[in-house]
Amino acid sequence: MTIIRLWPGRIAMALVLFLNALTCMAGESPDEAAIRQVILSTWNKPNAPVEVGPVVVAGGNAIAGWTQGTRGGRALMARDKAGRWSVAACGGDGLKEAKLLESTGMGEARAKQLSAALAQAESAIPAARRAQFSTFDGLVRMDAAGQHSGHEASSSRTGIDAKGAKP
């Protein structure tokens, strides 16, 4: 009986190791894999799967494109001191702009680096999927638990209103 109970755990562990190996073989960095997992564990649903990518990383910040059904957007990610990634904000086209990234507290050099890396990564994405990233309206700040603080709260901190325009 004890041997039978151990099998499911060993099978699950083998599956996790196999999937991690596939991820590494696909050329995805550990940071990219962790970011993908954060987004999937937060918003993926059986009836509404989330597709994540591209993911670009610069230091302790990253941007990940995502689509879910006919909608999509971009997630601004931040790494904490313990190395864990979380969603700092969700947005659309505004997250492509270095100036908006700077308004979130990011340094100018990193904002420009992320913006350039995102433009390059998204150029390899089919145009129809890339257009879905633009369907997210505005900029919504997220807390550590993945909850949004509302468009009004985010606009007062970023200088961007719910439509993504400066007042």
Side-chain angles (χ1 to χ4, degrees):
M1 190 68 134
T2 304
I3 294 173
I4 293 173
R5 279 191 231 152
L6 293 176
W7 276 97
R10 288 184 178 165
I11 291 171
M13 179 62 83
L15 183 58
V16 166
L17 292 173
F18 174 74
L19 291 175
N20 282 340
L22 283 179
T23 298
C24 291
M25 288 188 310
E28 188 171 63
S29 74
D31 283 331
E32 291 168 344
I35 289 164
R36 183 178 310 282
Q37 185 56 41
V38 167
I39 293 171
L40 291 174
S41 67
T42 304
W43 291 293
N44 200 42
K45 295 179 173 60
N47 61 340
V50 174
E51 184 179 343
V52 181
V55 177
V56 295
V57 180
N61 295 102
I63 301 174
W66 58 268
T67 55
Q68 188 172 35
T70 60
R71 307 267 316 176
R74 295 171 182 87
L76 175 62
M77 308 295 294
R79 183 174 28 214
D80 66 15
K81 291 178 183 175
R84 292 180 302 257
W85 288 97
S86 63
V87 179
C90 286
D93 286 343
L95 286 177
K96 296 189 308 185
E97 305 299 326
K99 286 293 182 194
L100 185 128
L101 295 173
E102 285 180 63
S103 77
T104 68
M106 189 182 306
E108 180 182 1
R110 183 171 294 165
K112 286 180 178 179
Q113 182 182 7
L114 270 177
S115 179
L118 184 63
Q120 181 178 3
E122 286 189 1
S123 70
I125 301 295
R129 182 155 187 271
R130 201 169 46 242
Q132 286 179 275
F133 299 155
S134 302
T135 63
F136 195 101
D137 193 25
L139 180 72
V140 178
R141 296 271 186 155
M142 307 296 281
D143 66 18
Q147 301 298 310
H148 65 83
S149 57
H151 289 277
E152 298 78 19
S154 69
S155 65
S156 65
R157 282 185 236 138
T158 63
I160 306 296
D161 70 13
K163 296 284 186 197
K166 291 191 178 198

